[in-house]
Amino acid sequence: EFRRVLFRSFTWWGNQTRHDYTQKILDKYTELHPNVKFEAIPAGWDGYFDKLSTQAASGSMPDIVQMDYLDR
């Protein structure tokens, strides 16, 4: 059976705890959907949106981007 593999780049911002948690979620998703592979691109908060602007202007923006900010 042929299954097309989908590669998706995904970036988010946060500290190491958030990076580890997000990677676990991506790993679980891939476990449930083995035809989906992620390129994880974690980043810090400083300069995150500037980097996204540059990537968007150059056509190299990741497929999935975290844009939210949750203030609790």
Side-chain angles (χ1 to χ4, degrees):
E1 173 185 331
F2 175 76
R3 284 189 137 187
R4 181 177 169 191
V5 177
L6 303 175
F7 292 95
R8 296 291 178 245
S9 54
F10 178 36
T11 190
W12 66 91
W13 59 268
N15 60 22
Q16 189 61 47
T17 301
R18 186 174 194 173
H19 297 333
D20 294 342
Y21 184 71
T22 302
Q23 187 61 58
K24 284 182 183 180
I25 293 169
L26 295 177
D27 292 344
K28 184 64 175 180
Y29 190 92
T30 297
E31 179 185 321
L32 296 172
H33 307 278
N35 65 314
V36 179
K37 308 292 182 195
F38 292 99
E39 174 190 5
I41 310 169
W45 172 252
D46 292 340
Y48 179 74
F49 287 97
D50 293 331
K51 181 179 176 182
L52 290 178
S53 294
T54 301
Q55 290 172 325
S58 69
S60 63
M61 198 161 176
D63 300 310
I64 305 168
V65 177
Q66 177 204 351
M67 298 287 292
D68 68 327
Y69 176 76
L70 182 61
D71 187 13
R72 291 181 188 216

